[in-house]
Every structure is written in structure tokens, then in C-alpha cells.
């Protein structure tokens, strides 16, 4: 793995992302997107060999491409609705990867909760806050994109450099799952034995969040412009 | 094999971070935190599946489930707050709220 | 040894409470202020407590004489002190025996004839182990006949002044002035301070009283503090006194320094008794040092040349305060202190000479200045300086008993004159300029009558109080040196002249009134005139305690001789009298001084009897009169020589402080301030900026971790 190529790729990706951010100084969004997608594709092609002799290597590369491209679009798309839909794409890709990792129950839960519950809430709020006449002004321009992107990519380089430095030897051999029991049974047993307190606390957390959300949402706000209850 | 998942997780996490810092829409910002969660879930489960010490574990998946619950709670509260803020100022721009300073 | 009970009428512990009564009164008034009681009632605690003190003092005068006679061990003196009237048992060379030899005078060994009362242990001296050795400065009172004389007239005159103040501090409708209760509280404190000073049995307690008196004078001179001139006068009095007190404090330090090595265990080197006992074992230079430093304090407190400048300005206070300061509680302190320390002063002829020279300068200067003033109270103030200078001359000539005699008589007539001037001022709407009114004798008959007695006494008119005491001082000064005597006589004539200049300008001539006096000025209320009459009686008769009725060729007018009960009474105290000091002059001198006094009064009558509008002296004397009127430009000289350079120094220090030191601090603080100003921009309240900062921080941490990993291999 030539590190120079890796650095160039990351730099390219960062530059492309910077250009693709909404409200970038140069109106070259499409071109930047193409550069970005190319960089992402090369990156995935780099990742694919890491999958090595694994039988799911192709699937993994595909899912990774979907996830990364989806994530890019989530943060670059000027319309929140599209961002949310791209995020759905990311969820599905991650779910797929979880299946590849034999975490079938978690994958199902992810899809159900995110796609089914959380994203619907997001959609509601986005629709609620939507106004006619194209994207809102604050959606059209990013905030300090250069320093944000640069920081992010330096961090990415630091993290991935460490991973790639270790090479394919990182991590042990894939453990064979215990065929006798299904994944859901195993996870359930683990949750209700070792993490039973955590489960209880999570339940309380959800309850509190529900009560809090209701309380906050029911509060009447005084708008500064109108100075009266709404 | 593990390295591939770690790279993807890192990518998702960093993209979420960049989005959180640069986007000027409260909803997108919280969406970006969800993005970062995805990277983390991927990390946790991958480490459980390809353990460094050779003993596979389900702890990663258990944590992933907790993470889901927390994400759900966070989404409910954060969105409620966003709705409230939106009602106050009629905008989703976080920069109109600059109360976190000493004056 | 007789039992103590038989020697004193009242227990000594009871006398020890004397100073604290006025303090109690002041505290009661303070509580009344705190409780917002009516101001009109504020006089009674002070009057009552000062009256208690005065009554105690009257009894104490007898007991102090007994104690002194008893403790000094001289049976002859004891009997003399008790039945002195008509007896001349002292082996003093009397005025008539002018041929008595002068020559070198060796002081007799110091006696310690008083009783020391220890109130409580106050300050521990030296190292811890000395606590067992009894090395304490205790709060001690020292009772002897000198204490008796002083406390007697101090409390009596104070009582009169306090009673007078009840009426004086009110307007024409009888409503109390603003600060009425404050005034009385300060008066009580003043009397307490002076009584402490007089009773003090060691130098530390003396210093405490000394400073308390200074504080009270500051408070009372600045009583009308919204007036800038009053505030300035108060500050001036305090600061000039501080200059003297600095020397006084150094004197006390040097006493401790020099006497300490001589003392044995259990002896406090600051107790009067111990100091006086060991004083002759000191080197002459040491004694002179101590004497000059103590004198420095006395010059400030008793307003002597060159530290007299505060006293005329002290007229800014209410008139009763002036009376109190001039007669009883302030300026007498210096004379008292020198008399008390006469074992020290008598041991150094050099210091005595200095005292005489300063006294003569002060007497002549102040008398001439008094001749060219128009402010009634200022004339009296310069006269006080002049009279105090007389006392200093007496002290310096080795006749401290005469000095004390003059303090005592002076207290009566000077208090009387000030209270009389206050009465005039009160009725003239606070105008005291002699050019603005005249012929007040018809409007203020009681004031006029009593003032006349006071003026005669001050002028040294024969048979009144001032004559006797002044005459003794003149005698002593002739014995010291004829030139000093001549100057004293000249001053006496001038005193008569300016006193009656003031009197005639005020009470004689056509009746003129200032506009401020209102339509119908009238005599002051009785609460003011009665103290005037009491003091007038004192001014007339107080001197007879110091003379002896005896016939013979050497008697004045055939039946009076100098020296009487007072001198016998004082004889046993710590006062050391040069027995030759009273030998100077002769009977002719008494007649001469009487003649000069009458001559001065007559001259004043000729020139001022009709209260002319233009001062005749200013025409006759011309330039000289202008210099006197301008007070020899001493204030201006001090201003140029000391005040301005010091103020310049102060400005310089201020500038250095403001620009140099503050600038340095500003530079030092500029670094963090600049950093803060820079960092403040980051804290802009926007959440995403903080998130970005967090991201940068995490990135930096990961980079550091990678770098350390790479470095660690």
C-alpha cells in the first residue's frame, strides 16, 4: 500500500468535499462531486483487496461505496429532505455490512428503528420547518468549510494511517459463530445477563426522553417578532 | 478484513464530524451525529467479529443495541428542542443562538 | 508610717476613676446618637460626668497635698502644706532679699514623692521570660501635688466651659445647632484625654493622653468640617502637633534606651519614678538628648515658637473649644509635661537655656503680633502663645512652680476671655472682626463686666490673678539674666496694651453693629453668663493661693508677699525648683511691673478709648505694624520653605507611582490582557465554533498519540 497514493487520495477527497460543500466559493459543485466520487471509488477499490480472500469482499466494497457516497451527499446536499433520504441509504448500507458481520439482529433493529422510527421523525420535523422557494439561506452556505474539512481529513488520515499501517494482519481470524444458537438468542442472553442493569437504565432513559420530548414540544413559545403566544 | 470495516467506520465518523461542524442547519447537524453513530456501530461490531485476541464476543452487538436506544432518545429530545427553537426564531440556523458566552 | 486610710479622705482607687467619668458621659451621648435621642438632651451626661470629675478633683487636691507631704517625708513641709497660710517657713530666698547669691546651682537628688496606682498590666516588655520578671508597662496613675493642681483647674474650667456650651451651641431661638450632641461627646472625650494625660504614671500612658488630646483638638477644631477653612485648620493643628509628637516619641524611645541598662528587675524604665531615680546616672549628652526631644513635643502641644502656627488657626472651632484648648485641656499639657519632667530638665542646663531662648522669642513675637490683629479670638490666641512663652521662660529659669502657678491663673482668665469673646460672637451673628462693631458694652453688660475682669487679669493689673503669677516669672527671669527680665517686662506692657486695645475697640465708643447681628441683639442667656461670672471670680482671686498675706517692709502694698500656699503645696512634688530663681529683682520690680501694666492700659485708653474706625497704630507704626499684622510672614515662610517643597515631593512621588509603578504594572498586565482579548474572540457563543474546537482538539490528541507511538517504536 503506497502511502503517497493514499495521501494524494485523501487530499483529493478533501479538496473535492470542500468544493462540494454548499455555498462553496467556486460554483463547481458537479465537477467536484465527480472528483469526489472518483476518489471514493478508488478508495473502495483500495479497501476491497483488504477484504482479501473473504467470500463477501465484493459485497463489502459495494456497500462501502454506497455508505460513503450516501454520507457525502448527506453533508453536501443543500436540501434537508434529500439529506435525510441519503442518510437512509447510509443506514441500509450499514445494515448490510452488519449482516456481513453476522450481526443479523442488530442489522434488523437498525433498519427498523432508524428507517422506521427515527427517520420518520426527522422527516416530520423537516417538513414542519420547511418554507417555499427553494433551500433556506442557511442551507445554501456552509460554515467555515475549509477549516472544518481540513480538520476532518487530518483526523481521517491519522486514524486510517494507523489502520493501514497495520496492514491486512490486523485482527484475528474470523471467529466461527456458534451454529447451535441463533444470533438473536445469543444477544438476548448477553443483554439479560451481563448487561441487565444497562437494559433497565436504557428503559428509564427512553421513558424520560419521551416525557421530556412531550413537555418540550407542548411548551408555548413567544416569538420575538410577534411578541405573542403562538 | 477488520481493517476494511475500520476504514469505513472512520470515514463515516469523520464525514459526520465535518457535517456537524460546517452545516448551518440544526436538523442536518443532528443527522450528522447519527452518521457518526453509524461509524461507531460498525467499529464496535467489527471488533467483536474479528477480535484482536482471537476470542469473538457479542459485546459489540450489545453496545450497538444500547447505542440505538440512546440514539432514539436523543433524536426525540433533540427534535423536540429544534421545533421549539424554530418556533422562537423562525429559523434553523444555529448561529442565531449565541448565548453560550460570558457577557 | 501612717495607714493609708488616715492620710487620704477618699480611697485612691476612687480618684483613679476620675478620668473615666467624662468618657462614660461621651459613651452615653454616643449611645443617645445611636438611639436617635433628641439632640437637646445631649448636654446632661457630659455636664453631669464632668461635674463628678470636678468634685472628685476638688477633694483630690487636698489628698494630693497630703500624699506628697507624707511620701516626701519632710515633716516640716507637711505641716507647712497643711497650715501654710500666714507662714513663711520655706527657706526660700524671697523677693525682698535680692542680694541672695546666684552662682552654680546643683539640683537636689530626685525624689519620688507621689503614690503610684496600678490599674492593669498593659504592654509586656522584651522577651517572653520577662513576663515572670514583672516587665510590664502597666496603666499606672501617679498622684502627687502637681497632679492635684493640674487636675483641679482642668476639671473646674472644663466644667464651666461645658455648662457655657449648653447655651452657646444654640441659635437665637434656643434650637441646638447641627452636631450639638457630637460636640458634647467630643468635649467629654477631651476632658477624659486631658485627665488621663495628667494622671499618667509613666511615659507611655502620658503619650497616650498626649495623642488623645491631639485627636480631640483635631475633631473639635474641625467641628464645622463643611467649612474648608475649618477642615484646613484642623489638619494644620494635627500635622503641626505631629511634628512635635514625633520628637516626643523619640524622646520616650531614648529614655527607654538610656535608662533600661540601669534598671533592676521589676523596674519599668518608663515609669516616672524609675526615670527620675536614675536620671543622674546618665551621661550629660544623654540627658540633653532626652530633654531636647521631650521639649520638641512640648513646643508642638503648647504652641511655642517655632511650632505655634496651628494655634491661631484653631479659632475655626467653636469658641468653647478655643477656651478649652487655650485654658485647660491642650496647650497646658506641654507646660505640665516639662514641669513633671523637671528632674530631667533640671539636670541639663543647656536644655533649660534653649527653653528660655525659645520662650523669650515666642513671648515677644506673639505679643507684637497680637497688637496688630482685628480678629478678637486671634488676639486672644496670640496672647495665649505669649503667656505660654512666659511659662516656658519660668520653666527654663528653674522656677517651674511659678510656671505652674501661671498656668493655673491663666486658665481662669483665658477661659473667661474666650467665653466672653464667644458671647460677643454669638450675639453678633458669628462676626468677630473688631472693625465691624464697637460700643457693645451697653448691649452686653454682663459680658462686658466679666471681660473687663479677664482683661485686667491678663494685663497683670495689680491684685488680680495674672499679676501675681506673671510677677513671679519676671522675677525669675531677672535672676536668670537681666536682658530676659527686661524683655519679659516689655512683653508685660505690650500685653496690657493689646488686651485693652481689644477691650476698648469692642465695648467702648459709639454703638455699631454688623448686619449679621440682626435687629435686636441682646445679652446671652444665663447658662452662658453664670460661668462667665464664676470664672471672673476665679480670675480675680485665684492668684491669692500663691501669695501670702504678711505685713512688713518687703511686702507689696504693705501686706502681700509673693509665694504662698500653692508653692508650699507644690514643694513636695517632683518639681525641682532652683531656689535662687525666686531671688531675682525685688520689691521695686513688683511696683515697676504694676506700673507698666497700668501704663499699658492707659496708653490703650488714649489711643483706642473711643474705638476709632481706623487703627491709629497702623498709621503711627507704618511698616512695622504691617509686618505684625502679617504675623511676620511666618506662615508664608513655612509655606515656601516646607509645605511647597513637600507638596512638590508628594507630587513627584505621585507621578512616579502613577506613571512609573502603575505603568510597569500596566505593562505586566498587558500580556494576559492581550491574550485574554485574543481568546475572547474564540468564545463567540456559537455552538459550532466550540464543536470545531473540540474536533481540532481530538485531532491534535490523535496526532500526538501517533507521534508518540512512532517515537516509542
Amino acid at each position: 500500500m503506497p502511502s503517497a497514493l493514499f495521501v494524494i487520495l485523501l487530499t483529493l477527497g478533501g479538496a473535492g468535499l470542500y468544493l462540494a460543500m454548499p455555498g462553496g466559493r467556486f460554483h463547481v459543485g458537479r465537477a467536484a462531486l465527480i472528483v469526489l466520487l472518483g476518489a471514493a471509488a478508488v478508495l473502495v477499490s483500495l479497501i476491497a483487496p483488504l477484504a482479501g480472500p473473504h467470500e463477501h469482499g465484493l459485497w463489502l466494497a459495494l456497500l462501502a461505496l454506497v455508505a460513503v457516497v450516501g454520507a457525502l451527499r448527506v453533508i453536501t446536499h443543500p436540501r434537508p429532505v434529500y439529506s435525510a433520504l441519503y442518510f437512509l441509504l447510509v443506514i441500509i448500507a450499514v445494515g448490510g455490512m452488519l449482516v456481513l458481520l453476522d450481526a443479523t439482529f442488530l442489522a434488523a433493529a437498525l433498519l427498523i428503528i432508524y428507517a422506521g422510527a427515527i427517520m420518520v421523525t426527522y422527516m416530520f420535523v423537516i417538513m414542519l420547518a420547511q418554507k417555499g422557494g427553494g433551500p433556506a439561506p442557511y442551507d445554501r452556505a456552509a460554515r467555515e468549510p475549509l477549516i472544518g474539512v481540513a480538520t476532518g481529513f487530518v483526523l481521517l488520515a491519522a486514524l486510517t494511517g494507523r489502520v493501514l499501517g497495520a496492514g491486512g494482519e490486523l485482527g484475528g481470524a474470523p471467529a466461527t459463530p456458534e451454529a447451535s444458537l441463533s444470533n438473536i438468542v445469543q444477544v438476548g442472553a448477553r443483554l439479560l445477563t451481563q448487561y441487565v442493569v444497562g437494559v433497565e437504565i436504557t428503559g428509564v432513559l427512553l421513558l424520560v426522553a419521551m416525557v421530556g420530548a412531550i413537555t418540550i414540544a407542548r411548551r408555548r413559545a413567544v416569538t420575538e417578532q410577534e411578541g405573542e403566544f403562538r | 478484513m477488520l481493517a476494511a470495516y475500520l476504514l469505513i467506520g472512520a470515514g463515516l465518523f469523520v464525514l459526520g464530524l465535518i457535517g456537524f461542524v460546517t452545516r448551518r442547519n440544526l436538523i442536518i447537524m443532528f443527522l450528522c451525529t447519527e452518521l457518526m453513530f453509524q461509524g461507531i456501530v460498525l467499529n464496535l461490531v467489527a471488533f467483536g467479529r474479528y477480535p484482536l485476541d482471537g476470542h469473538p464476543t457479542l459485546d459489540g452487538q450489545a453496545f450497538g443495541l444500547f447505542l440505538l436506544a440512546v440514539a432514539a432518545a436523543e433524536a426525540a429530545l433533540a427534535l423536540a428542542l429544534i421545533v421549539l427553537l424554530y418556533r422562537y426564531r423562525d429559523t434553523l440556523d444555529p448561529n442565531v443562538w449565541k448565548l453560550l458566552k460570558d457577557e | 508610717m501612717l495607714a493609708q486610710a488616715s492620710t487620704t479622705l477618699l480611697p485612691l482607687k476612687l480618684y483613679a476613676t476620675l478620668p473615666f467619668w467624662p468618657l462614660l458621659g461621651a459613651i452615653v451621648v454616643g449611645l443617645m446618637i445611636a438611639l436617635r435621642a433628641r439632640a437637646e438632651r445631649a448636654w446632661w451626661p457630659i455636664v453631669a460626668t464632668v461635674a463628678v470629675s470636678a468634685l472628685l478633683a476638688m477633694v483630690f487636691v487636698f489628698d494630693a497635698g497630703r500624699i506628697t507631704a507624707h511620701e516626701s517625708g519632710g515633716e516640716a513641709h507637711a505641716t507647712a502644706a497643711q497650715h501654710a497660710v500666714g507662714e513663711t517657713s520655706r527657706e526660700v530666698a524671697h523677693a525682698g532679699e535680692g542680694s541672695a547669691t546666684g552662682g552654680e546651682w546643683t539640683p537636689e537628688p530626685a525624689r519620688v514623692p507621689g503614690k503610684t496606682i496600678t490599674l492593669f498590666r498593659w504592654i509586656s516588655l522584651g522577651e517572653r521570660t520577662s513576663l515572670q520578671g514583672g516587665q510590664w508597662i502597666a496603666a499606672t496613675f501617679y498622684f502627687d501635688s502637681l497632679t492635684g493642681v493640674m487636675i483641679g483647674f482642668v476639671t473646674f474650667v472644663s466644667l464651666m466651659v461645658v455648662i457655657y456650651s449648653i447655651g452657646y451651641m444654640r441659635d437665637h431661638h434656643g434650637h441646638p445647632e447641627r452636631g450639638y450632641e457630637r460636640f458634647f461627646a467630643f468635649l467629654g472625650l477631651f476632658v477624659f484625654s486631658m485627665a488621663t494625660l495628667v494622671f499618667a504614671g509613666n511615659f507611655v500612658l502620658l503619650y497616650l493622653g498626649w495623642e488623645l488630646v491631639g485627636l480631640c483638638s483635631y475633631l473639635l477644631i474641625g467641628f464645622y468640617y463643611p467649612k474648608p477653612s475649618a477642615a484646613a485648620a484642623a489638619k494644620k493643628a494635627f500635622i503641626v502637633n505631629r511634628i512635635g509628637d514625633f520628637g516626643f516619641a523619640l524622646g520616650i524611645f531614648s529614655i527607654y534606651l538610656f535608662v533600661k541598662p540601669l534598671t533592676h528587675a521589676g523596674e519599668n524604665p518608663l515609669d516616672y519614678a524609675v526615670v527620675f531615680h536614675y536620671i543622674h546616672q546618665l551621661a550629660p549628652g544623654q540627658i540633653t538628648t532626652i530633654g531636647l526631644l521631650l521639649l520638641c513635643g512640648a513646643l508642638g502641644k503648647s504652641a511655642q515658637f517655632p511650632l505655634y502656627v496651628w494655634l491661631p488657626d484653631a479659632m475655626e472651632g467653636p469658641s468653647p473649644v478655643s477656651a478649652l484648648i487655650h485654658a485647660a485641656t491642650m496647650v497646658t499639657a506641654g507646660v505640665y509635661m516639662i514641669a513633671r519632667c523637671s528632674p530631667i530638665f533640671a539636670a541639663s542646663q543647656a536644655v533649660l537655656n534653649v527653653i528660655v531662648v525659645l520662650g523669650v522669642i515666642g513671648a515677644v513675637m506673639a505679643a507684637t503680633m497680637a497688637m496688630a490683629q482685628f480678629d478678637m479670638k486671634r488676639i486672644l490666641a496670640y496672647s495665649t502663645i505669649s503667656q505660654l512663652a512666659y511659662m516656658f521662660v519660668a520653666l527654663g529659669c528653674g522656677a517651674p512652680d511659678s510656671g505652674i502657678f501661671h498656668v493655673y491663673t491663666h486658665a481662669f482668665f483665658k477661659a473667661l476671655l474666650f467665653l466672653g469673646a464667644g458671647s460677643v460672637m454669638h450675639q453678633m451673628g458669628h462676626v468677630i472682626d473688631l472693625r465691624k462693631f464697637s460700643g457693645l458694652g451697653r448691649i452686653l453688660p454682663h459680658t462686658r463686666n466679666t471681660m473687663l475682669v479677664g482683661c485686667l487679669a491678663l494685663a497683670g493689673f495689680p491684685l488680680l490673678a495674672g499679676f501675681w503669677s506673671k510677677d513671679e516669672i519676671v522675677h525669675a527671669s531677672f535672676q536668670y539674666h537681666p536682658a530676659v527680665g527686661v524683655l519679659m517686662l516689655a512683653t508685660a506692657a505690650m500685653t496690657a496694651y493689646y488686651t485693652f486695645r481689644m477691650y476698648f475697640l469692642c465695648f467702648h465708643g459709639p454703638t455699631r453693629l454688623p448686619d449679621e447681628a440682626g435687629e435686636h441683639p441682646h445679652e446671652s442667656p444665663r447658662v452662658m453668663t453664670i460661668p462667665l461670672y464664676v470664672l471672673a471670680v476665679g480670675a480675680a482671686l485665684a492668684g491669692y493661693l500663691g501669695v501670702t498675706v504678711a505685713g512688713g517692709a518687703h511686702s507689696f502694698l504693705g501686706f502681700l508677699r509673693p509665694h504662698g500656699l500653692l508653692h508650699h503645696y507644690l514643694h513636695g512634688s517632683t518639681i525641682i525648683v532652683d531656689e535662687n530663681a525666686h531671688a531675682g529683682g525685688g520689691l521695686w520690680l513688683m511696683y515697676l511691673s504694676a506700673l507698666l501694666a497700668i501704663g499699658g492700659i492707659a496708653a490703650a485708653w488714649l489711643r483706642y478709648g473711643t474705638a476709632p474706625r481706623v487703627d491709629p497704630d497702623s498709621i503711627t507704626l507704618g511698616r512695622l505694624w504691617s509686618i505684625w499684622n502679617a504675623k511676620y510672614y511666618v506662615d508664608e515662610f513655612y509655606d515656601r520653605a516646607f509645605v511647597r517643597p513637600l507638596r512638590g515631593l508628594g507630587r513627584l512621588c505621585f507621578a512616579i507611582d502613577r506613571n512609573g509603578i502603575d505603568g510597569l504594572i500596566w505593562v505586566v498586565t498587558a500580556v494576559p490582557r492581550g491574550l485574554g482579548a485574543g481568546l475572547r474572540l474564540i468564545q463567540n457563543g456559537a455552538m459550532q465554533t466550540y464543536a470545531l474546537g473540540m474536533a481540532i482538539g481530538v485531532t491534535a490528541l490523535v496526532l500526538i498519540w501517533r507521534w508518540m507511538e512512532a517515537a516509542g517504536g
Side-chain angles (χ1 to χ4, degrees):
Chain A
M1 173 77 219
S3 59
L5 178 64
F6 177 67
V7 169
I8 291 169
L9 273 175
L10 277 182
T11 313
L12 262 181
L17 180 57
Y18 170 65
L19 294 173
M21 290 306 282
R25 212 163 286 171
F26 314 103
H27 297 281
V28 286
R30 301 263 167 206
L33 210 58
I34 291 162
V35 171
L36 209 54
L37 287 175
V42 176
L43 190 64
V44 170
S45 69
L46 280 172
I47 293 169
L50 285 177
H54 197 271
E55 60 271 30
H56 306 309
L58 193 62
W59 280 108
L60 178 61
L62 191 61
L63 288 171
L65 186 64
V66 171
V68 171
V69 171
L72 283 170
R73 285 310 278 158
V74 166
I75 65 172
T76 53
H77 208 285
R79 285 177 175 273
V81 178
Y82 286 91
S83 288
L85 290 174
Y86 276 114
F87 182 67
L88 214 53
L89 210 57
V90 176
I91 295 295
I92 291 164
V94 171
M97 283 188 271
L98 290 179
V99 170
L100 290 184
L101 287 167
D102 293 331
T104 47
F105 173 65
L106 186 57
L110 192 76
L111 281 175
I112 292 165
I113 292 172
Y114 266 99
I118 297 179
M119 286 322 295
V120 171
T121 323
Y122 268 97
M123 280 299 185
F124 266 123
V125 175
I126 289 167
M127 296 299 178
L128 201 67
Q130 191 130 46
K131 285 175 184 164
Y138 45 80
D139 274 333
R140 280 191 220 123
R143 181 179 188 281
E144 307 222 21
L146 179 61
I147 189 163
V149 172
T151 306
F153 271 79
V154 170
L155 181 61
L156 187 62
L159 289 173
T160 52
R162 176 74 180 85
V163 174
L164 291 173
E169 302 88 48
L170 193 65
T176 43
E178 295 174 46
S180 56
L181 292 167
S182 69
N183 176 256
I184 184 165
V185 173
Q186 290 172 357
V187 173
R190 178 58 62 99
L191 279 179
L192 290 179
T193 54
Q194 191 175 351
Y195 295 113
V196 67
V197 178
V199 171
E200 297 288 340
I201 292 173
T202 310
V204 174
L205 174 72
L206 284 170
L207 179 66
V208 170
M210 186 177 74
V211 173
I214 293 168
T215 314
I216 291 168
R218 279 176 59 86
R219 179 178 294 181
R220 301 196 145 195
V222 183
T223 58
E224 290 183 353
Q225 292 88 348
E226 297 166 12
E228 60 185 22
F229 291 111
R230 229 175 149 180
Chain B
M1 198 65 208
L2 176 61
Y5 289 102
L6 293 186
L7 287 182
I8 298 165
L12 287 178
F13 181 86
V14 167
L15 287 175
L17 183 68
I18 293 171
F20 186 86
V21 172
T22 54
R23 289 306 297 265
R24 291 171 55 198
N25 185 322
L26 282 168
I27 297 174
I28 304 291
M29 283 166 65
F30 278 98
L31 214 51
C32 289
T33 60
E34 308 287 0
L35 212 51
M36 289 156 83
F37 276 139
Q38 301 315 311
I40 291 163
V41 168
L42 213 50
N43 240 1
L44 288 172
V45 177
F47 269 115
R49 182 70 175 76
Y50 302 103
L52 295 176
D53 60 355
H55 298 293
T57 171
L58 289 174
D59 289 343
Q61 294 183 39
F63 271 88
L65 280 170
F66 285 128
L67 208 146
L68 276 185
V70 171
E74 178 240 340
L77 277 175
L79 290 173
L81 282 169
I82 287 169
V83 168
L84 194 67
L85 293 175
Y86 180 74
R87 278 198 213 153
Y88 268 109
R89 291 274 168 96
D90 231 4
T91 176
L92 289 172
D93 189 354
N95 292 309
V96 302
W97 301 97
K98 291 198 169 180
L99 301 176
L100 278 172
K101 60 177 171 180
D102 180 32
E103 231 155 5
Chain C
M1 187 63 91
L2 292 168
Q4 190 175 310
S6 64
T7 55
T8 56
L9 297 175
L10 292 172
L12 292 179
K13 295 276 180 196
L14 190 60
Y15 295 131
T17 65
L18 192 152
F20 300 105
W21 289 100
L23 181 66
L24 178 71
I27 290 170
V28 170
V29 174
L31 288 176
M32 286 169 74
I33 295 172
L35 297 174
R36 302 181 194 288
R38 289 177 64 197
E40 291 174 25
R41 307 270 173 79
W43 56 269
W44 69 260
I46 301 298
V47 171
T49 50
V50 174
V52 169
S53 285
L55 280 175
L56 273 176
M58 291 308 120
V59 186
F60 176 69
V61 168
F62 291 100
D63 273 351
R66 290 187 186 203
I67 293 166
T68 306
H70 186 256
E71 294 290 322
S72 60
E75 259 67 40
H77 299 322
T79 50
Q82 281 160 13
H83 327 94
V85 182
E87 289 184 25
T88 50
S89 60
R90 275 177 77 191
E91 50 284 281
V92 178
H94 282 299
E97 302 154 36
S99 60
T101 54
E104 278 303 303
W105 163 55
T106 45
E108 52 193 293
R111 299 153 300 177
V112 186
K115 274 272 189 205
T116 301
I117 302 291
T118 304
L119 300 184
F120 53 88
R121 296 202 292 184
W122 186 19
I123 303 168
S124 74
L125 287 180
E127 58 277 11
R128 278 186 75 99
T129 50
S130 67
L131 298 189
Q132 279 77 35
Q135 285 291 80
W136 282 82
I137 294 175
T140 51
F141 283 166
Y142 183 77
F143 295 151
D144 71 348
S145 54
L146 178 59
T147 316
V149 173
M150 288 298 293
I151 205 74
F153 80 80
V154 164
T155 51
F156 181 76
V157 171
S158 300
L159 179 62
M160 289 304 127
V161 171
V162 170
I163 292 171
Y164 175 92
S165 303
I166 298 169
Y168 181 83
M169 297 305 286
R170 292 165 187 264
D171 61 14
H172 287 284
H173 308 291
H175 299 307
E177 266 184 48
R178 191 170 162 272
Y180 190 74
E181 59 275 60
R182 181 164 56 94
F183 183 78
F184 277 96
F186 288 168
L187 283 188
L189 197 61
F190 212 164
V191 177
F192 157 71
S193 312
M194 189 65 192
T196 308
L197 192 157
V198 171
F199 268 0
N202 58 53
F203 282 96
V204 180
L205 196 60
L206 175 72
Y207 190 73
L208 180 79
W210 194 265
E211 293 296 335
L212 276 176
V213 166
L215 168 72
C216 292
S217 72
Y218 170 79
L219 294 173
L220 282 168
I221 293 168
F223 180 74
Y224 297 120
Y225 57 85
K227 251 171 77 183
S229 60
K235 275 190 283 184
K236 188 174 182 179
F238 198 75
I239 291 167
V240 173
N241 263 300
R242 284 244 51 86
I243 296 170
D245 293 352
F246 180 66
F248 189 53
L250 288 183
I252 293 172
F253 298 157
S254 48
I255 287 174
Y256 182 79
L257 197 66
F258 297 150
V259 177
K260 183 77 167 47
L262 304 173
T263 52
H264 303 293
E267 282 180 328
N268 182 350
L270 288 171
D271 273 340
Y272 289 152
V274 176
V275 175
F276 299 159
H277 185 258
Y278 289 107
I279 194 74
H280 290 287
Q281 299 178 26
L282 296 180
Q286 291 176 332
I287 298 175
T288 307
T289 308
I290 292 171
L292 286 177
L293 289 171
L294 292 183
L295 174 65
C296 186
L299 292 180
K301 195 63 67 186
S302 283
Q304 284 304 294
F305 182 82
L307 295 180
Y308 67 88
V309 287
W310 65 271
L311 192 63
D313 286 10
M315 296 302 108
E316 291 290 342
S319 296
V321 175
S322 308
L324 211 54
I325 287 177
H326 287 252
T329 51
M330 178 98 175
V331 296
T332 56
V335 178
Y336 165 74
M337 190 270 286
I338 293 187
R340 168 63 76 208
C341 299
S342 71
I344 298 173
F345 286 93
S348 172
Q349 188 60 39
V351 180
L352 290 181
N353 294 340
V354 171
I355 294 175
V356 171
V357 169
L358 290 177
V360 170
I361 294 174
V364 176
M365 245 179 107
T368 51
M369 287 189 279
M371 283 161 67
Q373 302 299 317
F374 287 106
D375 184 324
M376 224 168 143
K377 285 171 71 180
R378 273 183 189 274
I379 294 174
L380 292 172
Y382 284 114
S383 127
T384 302
I385 299 170
S386 182
Q387 298 302 308
L388 285 166
Y390 261 91
M391 298 163 204
F392 271 67
V393 169
L395 297 168
C397 292
D401 55 346
S402 302
I404 291 295
F405 185 26
H406 199 47
V407 162
Y408 153 72
T409 56
H410 177 258
F412 288 98
F413 56 76
K414 194 46 69 70
L416 167 61
L417 287 170
F418 266 110
L419 295 183
S423 174
V424 170
M425 193 171 166
H426 195 232
Q427 302 312 327
M428 291 300 115
H430 291 274
V431 173
I432 199 69
D433 193 325
L434 287 170
R435 286 167 296 195
K436 293 199 176 153
F437 50 76
S438 65
L440 300 184
R442 284 174 286 282
I443 300 169
L444 307 170
H446 298 302
T447 308
R448 204 258 323 247
N449 294 342
T450 51
M451 281 285 271
L452 179 60
V453 176
C455 286
L456 287 171
L458 174 59
F461 193 79
L463 306 183
L464 291 179
F467 173 74
W468 303 112
S469 52
K470 195 182 289 183
D471 189 64
E472 269 188 34
I473 294 173
V474 173
H475 279 221
S477 61
F478 263 100
Q479 177 62 27
Y480 180 80
H481 195 280
V484 175
V486 169
L487 284 172
M488 287 293 103
L489 273 179
T491 308
M494 282 192 277
T495 306
Y497 181 73
Y498 70 68
T499 308
F500 274 87
R501 171 179 173 270
M502 176 193 83
Y503 175 78
F504 291 134
L505 282 177
C506 180
F507 293 108
H508 280 235
T511 303
R512 281 191 295 130
L513 294 174
D515 298 334
E516 291 88 341
E519 290 297 311
H520 299 289
H522 51 85
E523 181 56 274
S524 299
R526 253 189 224 164
V527 72
M528 288 165 70
T529 52
I530 287 175
L532 287 178
Y533 275 107
V534 173
L535 286 170
V537 170
L541 303 180
Y544 289 97
L545 281 179
V547 290
T548 309
V549 179
H554 299 303
S555 302
F556 184 67
L557 298 180
F559 67 98
L560 290 167
R561 281 186 185 181
H563 294 96
L565 183 60
L566 189 81
H567 300 76
H568 298 299
Y569 182 80
L570 282 175
H571 182 254
S573 71
T574 54
I575 286 179
I576 293 180
V577 180
D578 179 358
E579 304 295 2
N580 295 320
H582 295 298
L587 195 56
W588 59 271
L589 198 54
M590 294 186 85
Y591 287 114
L592 180 60
S593 72
L595 207 63
L596 282 173
I598 295 168
I601 294 168
W605 166 254
L606 285 177
R607 294 178 76 80
Y608 293 96
T610 56
R613 277 167 174 267
V614 181
D615 194 297
D617 278 358
S618 64
I619 300 159
T620 322
L621 295 173
R623 183 88 191 108
L624 190 60
W625 191 88
S626 307
I627 293 174
W628 291 349
N629 182 248
K631 308 145 200 165
Y632 292 105
Y633 301 101
V634 169
D635 276 328
E636 287 77 3
F637 171 71
Y638 283 175
D639 189 51
R640 295 261 163 80
F642 302 113
V643 177
R644 284 192 200 176
L646 283 175
R647 192 177 292 147
L649 186 68
R651 292 225 176 96
L652 183 70
C653 291
F654 181 72
I656 290 172
D657 183 50
R658 175 54 53 91
N659 300 325
I661 295 172
D662 283 8
L664 195 69
I665 290 168
W666 189 89
V667 170
V668 169
T669 56
V671 175
R673 198 188 301 132
L675 281 175
L679 289 172
R680 217 174 126 250
L681 297 176
I682 294 172
Q683 196 204 19
N684 60 1
M687 171 185 46
Q688 282 177 302
T689 311
Y690 303 157
L692 181 61
M694 220 166 110
I696 292 173
V698 168
T699 307
L701 280 177
V702 171
L703 284 175
I704 289 170
W705 168 62
R706 291 288 316 273
W707 175 74
M708 284 172 71
E709 199 184 40

